[in-house]
């Protein structure tokens, strides 16, 4: 506000005190309307914008269809690249009763002038102020007629994400323009899980020496990806200084915002010296479609009577379209009956003095209506479609992605807020559904600084003499994994060798120093060690660090180099032999079902063979014994009875196959039970341990303590901390009731060493109930974690990891197993029983159908010629009106040969009867 008051004093002190009487309205369609323009004449943007603005005013005034009765009177003021002078010039311009103003190009001046135009209701159309904060509701009369830096910074973030970088250093001018853009860049990178590692700001008008000092500072940092967001007039000084310091070589990445194409597009012929400082730079340029209107304007640029830069840049196109926007809005405003009139501001009237005369500034009465008309505009200009979204941004924000090579730039793709990065022009993509998926992001190949085509890593170890600080747990047990060492580097162990081997595969040196964490009296708490990495007290944590969920939330882990998981260890004893061991191969349901199926199959075979096979006939007691004998003799394939019927043979074949499988399985299981050492334990696994009340041992400092409490809900009172292998053995031998523990829960690598050291006196029970691994922990988004993961995979593929394992951790395996309940159950054989059952029922069904058919033919009334006296062995029958079940059983019990004889025609029976009279009865017939 003090700046504003001083400006008013300088302005109004030079005025003769005459007050323009603007209270009376002009005619509804005045012959002349004043519009203003604010920019710096002698600047990259100003030299292109001035001819374009003047040409646009001439084109409007010569167009009979646009403002036919009114001419535009252009009033231009030079802001002189100064915030103070620019503010003064802006106040002088508004004093001339302009209905709107074109400009300014400076975001800083736009912030100040926006307060003035808000008060006086004068729309401000800026073709060069790109600071995203100007879109605030605080500035309703500010209208940006170029692309917002909000979109440009998201384009930069997408480029960083596309190439896989995680940190950038922002180099920017410390003013509203620079700060606003970099602030949005930080937010955009955060959405991609990246960040601005350092903000390197220099003041406006910084000297070459100041810029070099700043670049020397950032060159000592880790990131090699630089985003340069500066003013066009001083931007090339940054790259000149970078080249002087050797920062334009291989391994560096430079991304410049749209200021760089503005400089290059404005020159007729590129300066080779300047272009040498820009080799490999990626930059963004406002995308403007190649329309006929644009081509015509560019072809007549050098023929314009207003001279400026040799060629127009994108800001010239936006400046031209700003004038067209103003003319179209005024045309609509006047056509709808709007009046060009000004009135005094009562707030300024009360503050008029002999020195300050703010009453020379007037309110534009139609400002609000004109503003609404401008925001409704929709036309095609030199820069493309000119239309505003609800946030007052131009729709369809798009940029060309350029790569500086040689003495020119080449386009490697596009970015749009519609589909992100693409090698297809936005105009083509607008005809398709939007797609911003990762797989749809594409750019052509880039030639990087140093003329390389391989993607730069984007970071190096800081060249400031500080080695990597690596925290190492100071263990008091299981020292084969990691332990203190008197010799350099101060630590040793399996984990250290893996880390050093992985570092040796990296294509760059990694200076580092090991720092022990812990007091050496007890094992450190590993969660605390990981937390120290997250708090930047260590750069990494190396050792037997388990990758668990809560740790991955605060640090990044490498690829696991050792698989791990929690298991249960218990004391065991050898199982005693039992005289009933022969029953153990099968479970009780299996024995019952097997016996039942044996009897069922025997009964089925008896039914099928009884009528035709004399071996299955005889007194009832003999037939019952036949069923039992035949059923169980098939177990040993020693049955003596022959099967005659086709159905009986089918059932028997299938049943013998089932018996073969059962016998083989039983023999194998019994052999295992009688020959393999069997061990027993009262605890069968984690489930039985949870359900009990016994004490549980946990390694000191391990994550398993929290896991058992938080995830498995085991009371803390049941847990006992143990330091080393001796404590493990002592606690297990004492048992839970003797002051020790019933079981120990720990990770597989530790348990393997423990069991081997105690001659396999203890055993694991159950399965691993967690799956995890050991990895190296780094700070979030550390690129070293990614490179080391690749190195660990290489160690695994070439077998070196296994060699390190054999060097440090080779031990005798404990082969004997805990005697789990692994008897054969019905689940393993129900398929065989089902097949056999289906075969039996199918055979019975076919047999029943045949018997029923014969019985129907045999029943009285079916054949009137068949008489009871003709069937000699048959007892007198009951009346035909009732057929008893006993008759059916008698019929079924008869031999098949007799039934066939009974069903023959009468002539055949008479012949048979005479023949039987000559032959004794016992030769052809024997009673059952």
């Amino acid at each position: 506000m003090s700046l504003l008051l001083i400006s008013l004093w300088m302005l109004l002190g030079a005025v003769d005190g005459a007050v323009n009487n603007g209270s009376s309205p002009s005619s509804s369609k005045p012959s002349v309307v004043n519009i203003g323009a604010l920019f710096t004449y002698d600047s990259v943007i100003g030299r292109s914008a001035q001819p374009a603005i003047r040409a646009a005013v001439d084109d409007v005034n010569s167009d009979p269809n646009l403002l036919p009765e009114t001419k535009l009177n252009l009033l231009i003021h030079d802001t002189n690249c100064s915030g103070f002078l620019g503010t003064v010039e802006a106040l002088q311009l508004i004093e001339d009763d302009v209905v709107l103003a074109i400009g300014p190009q400076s975001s800083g001046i736009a912030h100040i002038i926006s307060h003035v135009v808000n008060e006086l209701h004068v729309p401000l159309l800026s073709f060069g102020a790109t600071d995203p904060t100007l879109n605030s509701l605080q500035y309703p009369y500010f209208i940006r007629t170029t692309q917002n830096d909000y979109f440009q910074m998201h384009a930069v973030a997408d480029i960083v994400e596309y190439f896989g970088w995680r940190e950038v250093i922002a180099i920017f001018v410390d003013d509203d323009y620079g700060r606003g853009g970099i602030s949005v860049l930080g937010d955009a990178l955060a959405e991609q899980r990246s960040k601005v590692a350092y903000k390197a700001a220099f003041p406006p008008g910084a000297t070459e020496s100041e810029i070099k000092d700043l670049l020397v500072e950032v060159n000592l940092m880790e990131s090699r990806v630089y985003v340069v967001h500066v003013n066009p007039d001083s931007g090339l000084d940054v790259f000149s200084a970078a080249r002087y310091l050797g920062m334009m070589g291989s391994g560096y990445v430079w991304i410049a915002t749209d200021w760089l194409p503005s400089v290059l597009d404005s020159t007729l012929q590129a300066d080779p010296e300047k272009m040498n400082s820009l080799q490999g730079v990626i930059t963004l340029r406002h995308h403007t479609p190649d329309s006929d209107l644009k081509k015509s304007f560019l072809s007549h640029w050098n023929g314009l009577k207003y001279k400026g830069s040799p060629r127009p840049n994108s800001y010239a196109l936006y400046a031209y379209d700003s004038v067209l926007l103003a003319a179209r809005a005024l045309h609509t405003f006047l056509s709808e009956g709007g009046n060009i009139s000004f009135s005094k501001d009562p707030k300024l009237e009360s503050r008029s003095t002999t020195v300050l005369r703010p009453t020379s500034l007037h309110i534009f009465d139609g400002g609000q209506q004109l503003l609404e008309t401008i925001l409704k505009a929709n036309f095609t200009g030199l820069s493309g479609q000119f239309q505003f979204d609800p946030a007052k941004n131009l729709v369809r924000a798009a940029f060309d992605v350029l790569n500086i090579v040689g003495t020119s730039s080449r386009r490697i793709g596009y970015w749009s807020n519609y589909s992100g990065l693409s090698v297809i022009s936005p105009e083509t993509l607008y005809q398709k559904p939007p797609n911003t998926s990762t797989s749809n992001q594409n750019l052509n190949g880039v030639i990087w600084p140093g003329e390389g085509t391989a993607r730069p890593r984007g970071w190096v170890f800081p060249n400031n003499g500080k080695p990597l600080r690596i925290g190492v747990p100071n263990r008091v047990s299981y020292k084969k994994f990691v332990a203190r060492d008197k010799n350099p580097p101060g630590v040793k162990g399996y984990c250290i060798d893996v880390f050093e081997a992985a570092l040796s595969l990296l294509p760059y040196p990694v200076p580092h120093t090991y720092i022990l964490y812990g007091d050496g009296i007890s094992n450190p708490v590993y969660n605390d060690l990981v937390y120290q990495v997250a708090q930047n007290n260590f750069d990494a944590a190396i050792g037997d660090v388990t990758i668990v969920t809560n740790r991955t939330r605060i640090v990044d882990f490498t690829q696991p180099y050792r698989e791990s998981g929690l298991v249960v260890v218990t004391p065991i004893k050898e199982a005693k032999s039992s005289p009933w061991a022969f029953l153990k191969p099968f479970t009780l349901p299996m024995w019952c079902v097997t016996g039942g199926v044996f009897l069922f199959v025997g009964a089925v075979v008896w039914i099928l063979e009884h009528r035709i096979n004399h071996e299955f006939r005889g007194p009832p007691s003999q037939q019952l014994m036949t069923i039992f004998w035949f059923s169980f003799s098939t177990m040993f394939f020693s049955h003596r009875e022959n099967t005659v019927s086709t159905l009986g043979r089918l059932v028997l074949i299938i049943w013998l196959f089932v018996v073969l499988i059962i016998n083989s399985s039983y023999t194998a299981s019994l052999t295992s039970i009688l020959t393999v050492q069997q061990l027993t334990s009262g605890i069968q696994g984690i489930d039985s341990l949870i359900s009990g009340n016994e004490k549980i041992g946990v390694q000191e400092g391990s994550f398993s303590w929290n896991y058992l409490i938080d995830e498995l809900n085991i009371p803390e009172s049941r847990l006992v901390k143990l330091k080393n292998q001796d404590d493990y053995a002592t606690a297990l031998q004492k048992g839970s009731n003797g002051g020790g523990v019933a079981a120990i829960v720990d990770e597989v690598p530790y348990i393997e060493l423990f069991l081997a050291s105690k001659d396999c006196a203890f055993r694991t029970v159950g399965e691993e109930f967690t799956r995890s691994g050991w990895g190296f922990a780094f700070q979030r988004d550390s690129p070293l974690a990614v490179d080391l993961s690749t190195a660990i995979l290489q160690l695994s593929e070439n077998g070196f990891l296994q060699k390190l394992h054999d060097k440090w951790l080779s031990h005798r395996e404990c082969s004997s197993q805990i005697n789990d309940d692994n008897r054969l159950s019905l689940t393993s054989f129900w398929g065989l029983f089902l097949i056999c059952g289906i075969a039996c029922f199918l055979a019975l069904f076919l047999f029943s159908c045949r018997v029923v058919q014969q019985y129907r033919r045999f029943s009285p009334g079916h054949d009137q010629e068949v008489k009871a006296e003709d069937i000699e062995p048959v007892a007198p029958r009951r009346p035909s009106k009732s057929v008893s079940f006993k008759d059916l059983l008698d019929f079924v019990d008869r031999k098949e040969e007799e039934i066939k004889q009974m069903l023959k025609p009468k002539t055949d029976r008479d012949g048979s009867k005479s023949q039987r009279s000559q032959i004794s009865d016992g030769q052809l017939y024997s009673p059952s």
Side-chain angles (χ1 to χ4, degrees):
M1 292 305 295
S2 60
L3 178 62
L4 179 59
L5 292 176
I6 294 174
S7 303
L8 289 172
W9 178 80
M10 293 183 62
L11 169 64
L12 299 178
V15 180
D16 60 1
V19 178
N20 182 14
N21 184 9
S23 59
S24 59
S26 60
S27 61
S28 59
K29 289 191 177 181
S31 58
V32 177
V33 175
N34 292 336
I35 64 171
L38 287 166
F39 52 84
T40 300
Y41 292 173
D42 189 18
S43 67
V44 171
I45 295 178
R47 286 190 291 270
S48 287
Q50 183 174 4
I53 292 175
R54 291 184 180 275
V57 172
D58 289 346
D59 290 345
V60 169
N61 288 336
S62 61
D63 188 348
N65 298 319
L66 189 60
L67 292 174
E69 302 177 11
T70 305
K71 301 297 181 184
L72 297 180
N73 180 32
L74 179 64
L75 304 175
I76 301 179
H77 285 249
D78 187 1
T79 58
N80 294 296
C81 285
S82 169
F84 177 75
L85 296 178
T87 303
V88 173
E89 293 294 330
L91 292 171
Q92 290 180 347
L93 176 64
I94 295 175
E95 185 187 20
D96 293 329
D97 288 340
V98 295
V99 296
L100 55 82
I102 309 295
Q105 70 187 60
S106 167
S107 296
I109 298 176
H111 274 281
I112 300 174
I113 300 303
S114 292
H115 292 284
V116 179
V117 297
N118 286 351
E119 183 67 25
L120 302 179
H121 298 180
V122 177
L124 190 63
L125 311 182
S126 177
F127 59 87
T130 57
D131 177 15
T133 61
L134 287 169
N135 270 48
S136 169
L137 297 176
Q138 185 181 10
Y139 308 120
Y141 281 86
F142 175 85
I143 303 172
R144 195 193 321 271
T145 55
T146 186
Q147 295 296 348
N148 191 336
D149 273 346
Y150 172 87
F151 300 108
Q152 181 171 210
M153 293 308 166
H154 276 76
V156 172
D158 284 351
I159 292 174
V160 172
E161 169 67 14
Y162 176 78
F163 289 108
W165 301 311
R166 286 291 171 261
E167 292 184 359
V168 304
I169 292 178
I171 302 173
F172 62 101
V173 59
D174 194 7
D175 60 7
D176 293 307
Y177 159 76
R179 289 190 300 270
I182 297 304
S183 176
V184 173
L185 176 63
D187 295 340
L189 289 173
E191 295 175 3
Q192 310 280 12
R193 278 202 64 187
S194 302
K195 66 179 180 179
V196 177
Y198 182 73
K199 296 180 180 180
F202 59 86
T207 63
E208 183 178 353
S209 176
E210 291 175 327
I211 295 176
K212 287 181 179 178
D213 291 343
L214 182 67
L215 293 182
V216 168
E217 181 182 356
V218 301
N219 197 37
L220 296 176
M221 299 179 181
E222 182 178 286
S223 179
R224 283 291 183 265
V225 182
Y226 304 117
V227 177
V228 183
H229 185 55
V230 296
N231 294 316
D233 300 282
S234 60
L236 293 179
D237 295 339
V238 174
F239 287 101
S240 298
R243 185 188 178 197
Y244 175 81
L245 296 173
M247 298 174 64
M248 295 302 299
S250 178
Y252 289 87
V253 178
W254 292 87
I255 302 175
T257 52
D258 65 276
W259 65 266
L260 181 55
S262 300
V263 176
L264 300 180
D265 292 344
S266 300
T267 58
L268 187 61
Q269 186 173 0
D271 183 355
E273 184 66 22
K274 293 181 179 179
M275 295 303 295
N276 287 336
S277 301
L278 300 172
Q279 296 302 300
V281 175
I282 294 178
T283 187
L284 297 172
R285 178 176 61 197
H286 298 123
H287 175 73
T288 54
D290 294 328
S291 61
D292 294 336
L293 184 63
K294 174 184 171 182
K295 293 177 181 178
S296 176
F297 176 78
L298 296 178
S299 64
H300 293 89
W301 177 263
N302 292 327
L304 297 177
K305 60 181 179 181
Y306 310 105
K307 301 300 180 185
S309 59
R311 294 192 305 173
N313 54 35
S314 60
Y315 287 101
L317 305 181
Y318 286 115
Y320 185 95
D321 287 344
S322 299
V323 176
L324 289 184
L325 172 63
R328 288 173 175 270
L330 283 171
H331 181 88
T332 303
F333 173 76
L334 295 175
S335 299
E336 293 177 351
N339 292 325
I340 305 298
S341 62
F342 297 85
S343 59
K344 294 181 179 180
D345 189 345
K347 299 177 183 178
L348 297 178
E349 277 293 319
S350 62
R351 287 167 174 78
S352 180
T353 65
T354 57
V355 178
L356 297 176
R357 293 187 175 88
T359 53
S360 60
L361 301 175
H362 305 99
I363 296 176
F364 175 35
D365 297 328
Q368 181 63 35
Q369 182 182 352
L370 180 60
L371 174 65
E372 294 174 357
T373 303
I374 292 173
L375 294 177
K376 295 177 182 178
N378 186 2
F379 67 95
T380 301
L382 298 181
S383 59
Q385 183 178 358
F386 228 82
Q387 185 181 0
F388 297 97
D389 62 17
K392 297 196 300 185
N393 292 312
L394 290 178
V395 298
R396 294 184 175 179
F399 293 87
D400 297 335
V401 184
L402 309 177
N403 183 208
I404 307 300
V405 180
T407 58
S408 62
S409 61
R410 66 187 187 97
R411 184 164 52 204
I412 60 174
Y414 306 88
W415 181 92
S416 67
N417 63 337
Y418 189 77
S419 292
L421 295 172
S422 175
V423 294
I424 304 173
S425 67
E427 288 72 37
T428 302
L429 294 176
Y430 292 148
Q431 310 302 321
K432 304 176 181 179
N435 187 354
T436 56
S437 63
T438 303
S439 60
N440 196 53
Q441 306 301 294
N442 291 294
L443 287 176
N444 291 321
V446 179
I447 298 178
W448 304 99
E451 300 183 355
T453 56
R455 180 190 69 87
R457 190 170 64 249
W459 67 277
V460 296
F461 279 96
N463 190 21
N464 53 11
K466 294 181 180 180
L468 208 64
R469 302 164 300 167
I470 299 178
V472 179
N474 189 10
R475 294 194 60 90
V476 297
S477 63
Y478 297 108
K479 293 188 177 182
K480 287 188 177 183
F481 295 113
V482 60
R484 180 196 294 269
D485 190 17
K486 296 180 180 180
N487 301 318
V491 289
K492 63 179 180 179
Y494 167 72
C495 301
I496 302 301
D497 282 3
V498 172
F499 180 69
E500 291 290 346
L503 287 183
S504 66
L505 295 180
L506 298 183
Y508 48 86
V510 182
H512 58 281
T513 180
Y514 294 109
I515 303 173
L516 288 171
Y517 181 77
D519 54 13
I521 301 175
S522 59
N523 291 330
V525 179
Y526 278 58
N527 283 341
D528 295 343
L529 174 60
V530 173
Y531 183 73
Q532 294 299 317
V533 177
Q535 292 297 107
N536 197 29
N537 294 324
F538 294 126
D539 297 311
I542 305 304
D544 48 340
V545 182
T546 307
I547 304 172
V548 294
T549 303
N550 64 325
R551 296 174 183 173
T552 59
R553 295 190 180 104
I554 59 176
V555 297
D556 284 347
F557 280 94
T558 62
Q559 172 80 14
Y561 63 89
R562 179 73 163 85
E563 291 185 355
S564 183
L566 292 178
V567 293
V568 179
V569 178
T570 64
I572 51 88
K573 58 182 178 180
E574 186 174 350
K576 295 180 180 180
S577 180
S578 171
W580 303 102
F582 68 91
L583 296 176
K584 289 185 178 179
F586 289 164
T587 60
L588 179 60
M590 179 66 183
W591 280 117
C592 296
V593 172
T594 302
V597 174
F598 267 99
L599 294 176
F600 174 70
V601 172
V604 170
V605 173
W606 177 83
I607 293 173
L608 298 176
E609 295 289 325
H610 177 68
R611 303 181 72 192
I612 60 177
N613 192 337
H614 70 278
E615 294 183 355
F616 288 86
R617 300 185 66 84
S621 59
Q622 180 182 345
Q623 296 185 46
L624 185 62
M625 290 301 299
T626 300
I627 292 175
F628 275 93
W629 165 255
F630 181 84
S631 298
F632 291 101
S633 63
T634 56
M635 180 185 301
F636 311 101
F637 306 100
S638 60
H639 51 284
R640 66 189 180 189
E641 294 82 5
N642 294 321
T643 53
V644 178
S645 67
T646 302
L647 294 177
R649 289 177 177 178
L650 174 64
V651 171
L652 186 60
I653 289 175
I654 295 176
W655 172 239
L656 290 179
F657 173 75
V658 174
V659 169
L660 176 64
I661 300 299
I662 294 176
N663 277 343
S664 301
S665 302
Y666 176 86
T667 303
S669 180
L670 183 61
T671 301
S672 175
I673 292 173
L674 297 179
T675 58
V676 178
Q677 181 186 17
Q678 299 296 306
L679 305 175
T680 60
S681 171
I683 298 174
Q684 303 301 323
I686 186 62
D687 292 332
S688 60
L689 190 62
I690 293 174
S691 61
N693 295 315
E694 298 90 349
K695 295 287 185 178
I696 303 172
V698 179
Q699 183 184 168
E700 187 177 39
S702 173
F703 81 95
S704 55
W705 179 277
N706 291 333
Y707 179 83
L708 294 177
I709 296 174
D710 298 336
E711 302 296 332
L712 302 184
N713 299 318
I714 296 178
E716 187 174 350
S717 59
R718 292 182 58 192
L719 304 183
V720 178
K721 291 184 179 180
L722 303 174
K723 289 186 177 182
N724 51 45
Q725 294 98 312
D726 293 336
D727 289 349
Y728 279 26
T730 302
L732 287 173
Q733 289 170 353
K734 289 182 178 180
S736 181
N737 296 328
V741 297
I744 291 176
V745 174
D746 207 347
E747 296 182 73
V748 173
Y750 304 120
I751 295 304
E752 289 177 348
L753 284 182
F754 168 67
L755 296 180
S757 66
K758 300 304 177 183
D759 296 326
C760 300
F762 309 96
R763 294 292 189 277
T764 60
V765 294
E767 301 293 332
E768 292 182 35
F769 56 92
T770 65
R771 295 286 181 178
S772 58
W774 289 355
F776 304 133
F778 290 85
Q779 295 181 12
R780 294 300 297 268
D781 301 321
S782 172
L784 190 58
V786 178
D787 289 353
L788 275 178
S789 294
T790 303
I792 290 172
L793 289 176
Q794 293 178 1
L795 292 175
S796 177
E797 291 171 356
N798 61 26
F800 195 75
L801 268 183
Q802 185 61 42
K803 292 180 181 179
L804 292 177
H805 179 274
D806 296 340
K807 171 186 174 182
W808 287 97
L809 308 175
S810 59
H811 50 75
R812 181 170 66 90
E813 295 290 341
C814 299
S815 58
S816 298
Q817 301 296 320
I818 296 296
N819 183 22
D820 294 332
D821 187 12
N822 55 357
R823 295 185 296 171
L824 299 175
S825 65
L826 187 61
T827 306
S828 304
F829 297 94
W830 71 267
L832 288 174
F833 290 146
L834 178 64
I835 294 174
C836 183
I838 292 175
C840 291
F841 282 109
L842 182 61
L844 288 176
F845 174 75
L846 296 177
F847 175 79
S848 301
C849 291
R850 186 167 178 269
V851 169
V852 169
Q853 182 182 12
Q854 291 177 344
Y855 186 71
R856 289 181 60 189
R857 294 175 59 188
F858 171 75
S859 299
H862 179 74
D863 188 353
Q864 298 297 331
E865 296 181 358
V866 179
K867 298 181 180 179
E869 60 272 15
D870 293 335
I871 307 174
E872 292 189 349
V874 181
R877 302 195 53 172
R878 297 181 181 182
S880 60
K881 292 184 180 180
S882 61
V883 180
S884 67
F885 182 70
K886 184 175 183 301
D887 295 336
L888 176 62
L889 291 180
D890 291 340
F891 178 80
V892 172
D893 189 54
R894 288 193 172 277
K895 285 186 176 182
E896 183 74 17
E897 183 179 353
E898 295 180 16
I899 298 301
K900 291 181 179 179
Q901 183 66 26
M902 286 187 287
L903 297 178
K904 286 182 179 181
K906 186 175 187 304
T907 56
D908 293 341
R909 291 198 304 271
D910 293 341
S912 298
K913 202 187 269 189
S914 62
Q915 185 177 5
R916 285 199 307 271
S917 64
Q918 300 174 6
I919 302 175
S920 62
D921 295 340
Q923 291 176 326
L924 291 177
Y925 172 75
S926 60
S928 57

